[in-house]
Amino acid sequence: MACGLRQIQGLSLTISPPGGPLLSVFSHRLLSRLAREPRMTLAVLVPLVLLLIQYGLFALGPAVSRPTAYIVMVAAPCIVLVLAAARGMSEGGPVRAGWFAIAASLLLWALGAFGNLWQEWVLGRVNEMYRDSMLAFNLAAVPIAFVLAGDWRSGRRSLARATDAAVALALGYGFFLYTWEVLTAHGTPDEAAVTHMVWLLDLQNFYLAIGSLARWSAADTPAERNLFRALLVYEIVYLVLVFYNNHFVAGDPAFGPEQSAIITVAFGVLAGMALWRPAGTTLPRPDPRLVRMVRSASPMLLAGALLIVSLFVIRIDYAVGTAGVLIAVVGYTLRTTLNQVVHIERGDILLRERSELQTIAWTDSLTGLANRHFLDQALGQSVHSQQESDLPFSVLMIDIDHFKLLNDRYGHPAGDACLREVANVLRRTIVRPGDVLGRYGGEEFIALVHDTDSAGALAIAEQLRTAVEALRIENLGSPFGVVTVSVGAASSGDEMPLAAAELVARADRALYDAKRAGRNQSRALAVTPG
């Protein structure tokens, strides 16, 4: 992002006249797409119009071309930062922070350009390096680095965002100190120092371009992809223009600020990208593994870059370099810890959601008891445990007497209310830990009771029967005048272990005996050898 030399210098632009069938086909396709997407037209025309306006002003004469060039290089980023901020205001979610960071970067760049304007045009200090301007240009990379590598997407994780911002700021300042020391190590900048510094600035711009490419390739929402598409195009154009300027133009006395002003093309491109809002994305969704890898590695790479820069800075300023190393290490440790916390939190949430979904899947919605699916699993586990422990185990089948008559007389809402009341009183009666009560289907319930033989099962069955009868729920269709239940119990002990299905079948047979005996009865079927 840094400019590098005397001012933000660029290169002359040569436009060849169109020719050839291939160019004609390309032009036709481009014009067709521009006609379909009016906002894309702005993205293409804005940098061209900006370029034509400034070179039109330069054509007025040498007397105004130099100050005009300086003014253009200050005004252009200011105009674009307003567009970037406006785009951020119109965006929702975390992408807004990305556009605001771009606007902040442009503001710092404009301050650096203004420093050049003040030094060269007002103070008349031509062909010198200006420390304050260089600092502003280097700090302009900080917001971009924060967007590329920081945790700006996490709206509530202020500590993570603050950590990334501190690391990015330290990286920008440390890089400035090192490049400035390289430039002024021998007092007046010489050709070797300038060349070394230029390559460092190219490395910085290349780092930002590669980072933009990585984040664009891993963007998983249209808004985020549009943000990093704009940043990628801008960084590539900026990289090319600044590279050509620093290596081929800046040292040539034949060129002046008029040629340097070509850098405003990059700002024009960014302005066009800020105005362009594609309806969708032309690329498929990225691989989730790539998304996770880029987002996880980006903050770590930021701390790694700061560590490397700080090790170079130590040679010129031990205190500042050491502070940079500490910031890098603490930042890396803190970000790793925060990432682990996030993973643990997400794991806990997933486990909680899974438990809640499992509870829903295993619960009868009407009565709140366990449903048939859960009972089948619990029954199999209980029988298996009984066979290993040699302790008795009993199954109780409970059926509401004359329930169809109740539904016919009072309606289904009254039937549902009856089921809920019966379920509640059964739940209050089956209270031992490990025992299971559930709705088996329709008006039928089942209880799984552990460490209970035939006599104990019959006693529990009677408790259930009398508890339901005590509710005194009206059922005039029943000979008892109230809601009652019939209960069948079957027990399996060490004399003859039974499979789950056989035990349920025997409990159902005992229930049938209770029904046949006149209902409102309890019957137990013990399992004996032979």
Side-chain angles (χ1 to χ4, degrees):
M1 184 62 69
C3 67
L5 301 185
R6 179 169 56 89
Q7 60 262 335
I8 311 306
Q9 296 187 335
L11 65 158
S12 59
L13 183 67
T14 302
I15 303 177
S16 300
L22 182 61
L23 186 56
S24 299
V25 172
F26 173 77
S27 301
H28 175 73
R29 292 181 177 177
L30 178 61
L31 292 175
S32 299
R33 186 170 183 187
L34 292 177
R36 293 193 305 269
E37 300 186 39
R39 285 186 178 269
M40 185 180 177
T41 305
L42 291 175
V44 174
L45 291 182
V46 166
L48 294 179
V49 170
L50 183 62
L51 187 64
L52 291 175
I53 290 175
Q54 68 185 37
Y55 276 95
L57 294 173
F58 298 161
L60 295 178
V64 299
S65 61
R66 179 175 290 268
T68 300
Y70 285 121
I71 293 173
V72 165
M73 285 188 285
V74 175
C78 290
I79 294 172
V80 182
L81 78 85
V82 172
L83 296 177
R87 177 65 179 268
M89 291 294 294
S90 66
E91 293 284 356
V95 173
R96 172 178 295 186
W99 285 103
F100 285 165
I102 293 176
S105 173
L106 292 169
L107 176 60
L108 291 169
W109 202 99
L111 291 175
F114 180 78
N116 282 339
L117 181 153
W118 184 262
Q119 294 288 340
E120 298 202 14
W121 188 27
V122 178
L123 301 182
R125 298 172 58 188
V126 182
N127 293 332
E128 295 184 22
M129 300 293 178
Y130 318 120
R131 192 178 191 277
D132 292 341
S133 295
M134 286 285 293
L135 175 60
F137 286 128
N138 275 275
L139 292 182
V142 171
I144 303 299
F146 175 71
V147 172
L148 296 178
D151 200 30
W152 54 275
R153 301 177 78 256
S154 301
R156 292 179 293 179
R157 295 173 59 194
S158 56
L159 181 58
R161 288 185 286 118
T163 301
D164 292 335
V167 173
L169 182 61
L171 176 60
Y173 185 70
F175 189 82
F176 160 73
L177 286 181
Y178 182 68
T179 53
W180 185 256
E181 174 62 23
V182 166
L183 186 65
T184 59
H186 303 96
T188 303
D190 54 24
E191 184 175 352
V194 171
T195 301
H196 190 182
M197 185 202 67
V198 164
W199 281 109
L200 288 174
L201 298 177
D202 291 336
L203 179 63
Q204 181 191 57
N205 293 330
F206 182 74
Y207 173 82
L208 296 177
I210 291 298
S212 300
L213 176 62
R215 292 306 299 263
W216 172 71
S217 63
D220 58 353
T221 65
E224 191 174 337
R225 179 158 292 181
N226 291 338
L227 168 67
F228 287 114
R229 179 193 290 117
L231 200 54
L232 174 61
V233 174
Y234 166 66
E235 290 295 343
I236 291 176
V237 174
Y238 186 90
L239 169 67
V240 172
L241 294 177
V242 172
F243 178 87
Y244 190 88
N245 166 70
N246 288 347
H247 289 273
F248 302 102
V249 177
D252 192 339
F255 294 104
E258 301 89 336
Q259 286 72 34
S260 302
I262 191 65
I263 193 64
T264 56
V265 171
F267 300 127
V269 169
L270 182 57
M273 299 299 289
L275 292 171
W276 182 29
R277 296 174 182 269
T281 177
T282 57
L283 294 178
R285 291 182 64 86
D287 188 334
R289 292 173 296 181
L290 175 64
V291 175
R292 289 192 294 268
M293 181 180 67
V294 170
R295 289 181 181 172
S296 300
S298 294
M300 310 311 166
L301 292 177
L302 188 64
L306 173 59
L307 180 61
I308 294 173
V309 170
S310 298
L311 292 176
F312 282 98
V313 173
I314 283 179
R315 299 188 301 176
I316 59 176
D317 191 324
Y318 183 80
V320 174
T322 302
V325 171
L326 290 176
I327 293 174
V329 173
V330 172
Y332 176 82
T333 303
L334 187 56
R335 287 295 281 112
T336 302
T337 303
L338 291 173
N339 283 341
Q340 291 298 322
V341 170
V342 170
H343 291 322
I344 293 173
E345 289 176 348
R346 289 176 179 172
D348 290 343
I349 291 173
L350 290 175
L351 287 176
R352 203 160 45 242
E353 291 177 347
R354 180 180 178 182
S355 178
E356 292 173 355
L357 290 173
Q358 198 170 51
T359 300
I360 293 173
W362 287 349
T363 302
D364 176 63
S365 59
L366 178 63
T367 63
L369 300 178
N371 61 15
R372 177 70 175 269
H373 178 65
F374 178 81
L375 289 170
D376 289 340
Q377 294 193 40
L379 182 60
Q381 293 172 359
S382 298
V383 170
H384 179 71
S385 299
Q386 180 267 328
Q387 292 172 352
E388 289 186 342
S389 64
D390 292 334
L391 294 174
F393 171 71
S394 298
V395 175
L396 284 71
M397 298 289 292
I398 308 140
D399 186 80
I400 299 177
D401 298 325
H402 304 291
F403 186 73
K404 184 178 184 305
L405 297 177
L406 184 145
N407 264 334
D408 292 343
R409 177 183 287 269
Y410 300 100
H412 289 285
D416 291 344
C418 172
L419 287 170
R420 284 192 290 267
E421 291 191 54
V422 170
N424 288 334
V425 74
L426 296 178
R427 184 189 290 113
R428 290 195 296 269
T429 306
I430 303 293
V431 295
R432 291 192 311 169
D435 291 347
V436 178
L437 174 68
R439 185 183 178 192
Y440 203 61
E443 67 273 19
E444 208 167 33
F445 300 87
I446 190 170
L448 313 178
V449 290
H450 297 77
D451 304 337
T452 304
D453 57 13
S454 179
L458 185 59
I460 295 174
E462 273 299 299
Q463 292 177 8
L464 297 174
R465 186 193 64 78
T466 57
V468 172
E469 188 175 20
L471 290 174
R472 310 304 295 175
I473 301 173
E474 182 181 296
N475 184 10
L476 297 180
S478 168
F480 306 104
V482 294
V483 171
T484 60
V485 295
S486 298
V487 185
S491 302
S492 176
D494 55 355
E495 297 89 355
M496 184 180 292
L498 292 176
E502 179 63 22
L503 194 57
V504 171
R506 289 176 180 268
D508 191 59
R509 189 184 310 163
L511 174 63
Y512 177 76
D513 291 343
K515 292 280 190 180
R516 190 171 54 181
R519 293 183 171 83
N520 197 19
Q521 302 282 327
S522 298
R523 292 287 186 271
L525 185 63
V527 179
T528 58

